[in-house]
Amino acid sequence: MPTLKEILQAIGRRHGVESLNPMQRAVAEAKASHIVLLAPTGSGKTLAFTVPMIESLAPASGRVQAVVIAPARELVLQIADVIRPVAAGYKTVTLYGGHSALDEANSLAAGADIVVATPGRLLDHILRENIDIRTASTLVIDEYDKQLELGFHDQMRRICRRIPRVRRLLLTSATPLAERPDFIDLSQAKVIDFSERAQAPRSRMKIALVKSPSRDKLEALADLLHALPDGRTIVFVNHRESADRVHAYLVRQHFPAGLYHGGLDQMDRELAVDMLNNGTTPILVSTDLGSRGLDIEAVRSVVHYHIPPSAEAWTHRNGRTARVDATGEIYILASEGESLPEYVDYDFEFVPDPDTNPDPIRSDTATLYIAAGKKEKLSKADILGFLTKQCGLDGKAVGRIAVKDHCAIAAIPRASAPSVTAAFAASKIKGRRIRASIYK
């Protein structure tokens, strides 16, 4: 069983976290076996529940010891990325829609100690008898409020009833619980409430109103983006069709923009986030699906192309910036006569002047798509070695490398793209030729 000291050392070594924040320390030091954690998005809840979860594990056995239920595929992947490096020696398996169910079944057949899953996919594997969670003693329900909002109550209830002996329970929520789950006993749970910190980032946000002279805000958006400083920017819209339209316009105007909404398949959504993070497309057009649960680093600006439909949407969109101790800029695009709801406030009006911007948003990065991944025994080290030795790139010029089940991507200098793809066509990695192209 890992000790708290060993877990904290692993966190520092693998995630570069020198010390836990006050909320994480409160959870780590809590003596209660059942905990309800109330804390805002971006406060570090994943690391907070990871510490007691790993502390509760017995030696690895290939039998499920801990189950983590999360509301979105992206959040499942994010949680697993936090857990895996810290839970060395334990097998962590992810289960989520849009992923190969056969690959997941094969992983489960080889045993699993920790399972991180969306409710629907986990229940599907349970009903197919691919997994037995009756052996689990630790249960984490992450973003319970979001799971209720998405209608996962019944799936969560059916899953929890299949875990008869929950000795450690951790339930997290960004907001106080309007209703307590009827499928688990929280009567003796310790409530750790950091929800009042949800307003703390407001002091680090500059919120500006940008008026559009026409009801169609596309030109106003373009002027605003030309005037923004270089850095990651998310443009939020209210509908998928609007996201497609805004994204297509920005691409025609030669902005480095990506697209994210629920109508895209899982791979395209994952690539959109990867390409935002690695600098290929530092502008992301997104519906509210992108306002929570994504691992996006250092968003400098948030743009409300459409007025958010609710106070919760306003809060979660803005929460993509000014995270931890960073500052952020938020812009509200409003057309003539468009009224703002009470929950939308701003500090000043801003008139974009693109001609005076010395440091506009730009991208000198391209994303290399490689048609092989973990299942083909390809690793980050293999890719980095090929890019530096066969392609002649400086290792410092190679950005993020992400290896998925059957593909991988790597951020490379845009100017080097032709020579890199030519090297892949002419050379072999680990004794075989692998197709590679620049992802558009």
Side-chain angles (χ1 to χ4, degrees):
M1 182 180 295
T3 65
L4 179 58
K5 182 179 180 180
E6 290 170 339
I7 296 168
L8 296 179
Q9 287 174 342
I11 289 171
R13 188 169 59 251
R14 302 306 298 271
H15 292 301
V17 176
E18 294 182 2
S19 61
L20 301 180
N21 65 33
M23 179 267 291
Q24 293 163 344
R25 283 201 307 275
V27 176
E29 295 170 1
K31 302 302 182 185
S33 60
H34 286 29
I35 294 172
V36 174
L37 172 61
L38 307 177
T41 299
S43 57
K45 293 195 292 290
T46 301
L47 199 56
F49 69 67
T50 293
V51 173
M53 184 196 74
I54 295 177
E55 196 176 16
S56 71
L57 297 177
S61 63
R63 291 160 63 89
V64 178
Q65 298 189 53
V67 173
V68 182
I69 308 173
R73 307 161 182 171
E74 292 80 7
L75 189 54
V76 165
L77 294 170
Q78 178 185 334
I79 291 170
D81 284 344
V82 172
I83 292 174
R84 278 197 182 102
V86 182
Y90 294 91
K91 184 179 178 183
T92 301
V93 173
T94 56
L95 311 173
Y96 55 92
H99 190 222
S100 168
L102 179 59
D103 284 347
E104 292 177 350
N106 290 337
S107 293
L108 291 171
D113 300 290
I114 303 168
V115 173
V116 186
T118 53
R121 179 54 68 94
L122 175 56
L123 187 59
D124 182 61
H125 281 294
I126 291 171
L127 296 177
R128 293 175 184 273
E129 299 185 349
N130 293 331
I131 184 173
D132 182 0
I133 62 172
R134 291 175 297 176
T135 55
S137 59
T138 297
L139 172 65
V140 178
I141 302 176
D142 193 29
E143 296 206 0
Y144 174 70
D145 54 335
K146 182 67 172 177
Q147 304 218 40
L148 285 183
E149 180 185 323
L150 293 174
F152 292 146
H153 178 277
D154 183 57
Q155 290 97 320
M156 288 191 291
R157 176 179 56 78
R158 295 173 70 185
I159 290 167
C160 290
R161 287 181 175 177
R162 286 170 167 81
I163 309 177
R165 291 178 294 278
V166 175
R167 291 197 292 272
R168 169 151 278 184
L169 170 71
L170 299 114
L171 183 148
T172 82
S173 176
T175 57
L177 303 187
E179 60 177 279
R180 291 203 165 200
D182 57 5
F183 45 81
I184 49 176
D185 182 10
L186 292 179
S187 58
Q188 303 300 316
K190 177 180 178 62
V191 178
I192 299 177
D193 190 352
F194 278 73
S195 58
E196 74 280 359
R197 307 290 180 91
Q199 299 303 317
R202 178 63 178 91
S203 63
R204 304 194 303 274
M205 297 174 179
K206 292 192 300 182
I207 305 181
L209 178 68
V210 180
K211 292 184 176 179
S212 170
S214 65
R215 293 187 64 181
D216 189 331
K217 305 174 187 178
L218 289 175
E219 291 186 6
L221 174 63
D223 287 343
L224 173 60
L225 292 176
H226 277 304
L228 293 186
D230 191 29
R232 295 184 185 92
T233 298
I234 303 181
V235 179
F236 281 107
V237 299
N238 289 350
H239 309 287
R240 295 177 183 179
E241 297 78 8
S242 301
D244 290 333
R245 177 171 176 267
V246 171
H247 174 256
Y249 172 80
L250 294 181
V251 170
R252 289 197 303 271
Q253 298 299 313
H254 306 292
F255 285 99
L259 176 66
Y260 188 93
H261 63 65
L264 302 174
D265 66 35
Q266 179 64 18
M267 177 175 287
D268 286 338
R269 290 192 349 225
E270 289 179 20
L271 284 169
V273 174
D274 287 332
M275 291 170 70
L276 175 66
N277 279 327
N278 72 22
T280 300
T281 51
I283 299 169
L284 183 68
V285 181
S286 176
T287 59
D288 283 316
L289 184 66
S291 66
R292 295 177 71 174
L294 298 184
D295 186 14
I296 300 174
E297 298 178 357
V299 174
R300 180 159 190 168
S301 305
V302 165
V303 177
H304 298 277
Y305 181 84
H306 288 143
I307 305 301
S310 66
E312 290 76 19
W314 167 254
T315 298
H316 290 306
R317 288 182 184 184
N318 292 346
R320 296 270 38 138
T321 190
R323 296 167 83 85
V324 191
D325 296 320
T327 58
E329 299 173 354
I330 295 161
Y331 299 89
I332 309 157
L333 274 176
S335 58
E336 188 69 30
E338 189 172 18
S339 60
L340 300 181
E342 290 184 2
Y343 51 80
V344 172
D345 65 322
Y346 61 92
D347 302 318
F348 57 92
E349 290 190 17
F350 177 66
V351 180
D353 186 356
D355 296 330
T356 63
N357 187 2
D359 187 27
I361 299 173
R362 62 188 181 277
S363 173
D364 301 317
T365 302
T367 292
L368 182 72
Y369 179 88
I370 303 165
K374 296 175 185 174
K375 301 298 183 182
E376 290 74 34
K377 308 301 182 184
L378 193 66
S379 69
K380 289 183 181 180
D382 295 329
I383 296 168
L384 181 60
F386 186 88
L387 291 173
T388 54
K389 295 173 184 176
Q390 302 298 120
C391 303
L393 296 184
D394 185 330
K396 294 179 180 178
V398 179
R400 282 173 168 248
I401 298 174
V403 182
K404 306 176 188 301
D405 283 351
H406 297 290
C407 69
I409 61 170
I412 61 172
R414 189 175 298 278
S416 302
S419 62
V420 168
T421 53
F424 268 87
S427 306
K428 297 180 179 180
I429 301 181
K430 301 182 79 171
R432 66 185 189 277
R433 280 194 171 83
I434 297 175
R435 290 184 295 107
S437 59
I438 298 303
Y439 189 81
K440 305 284 188 183

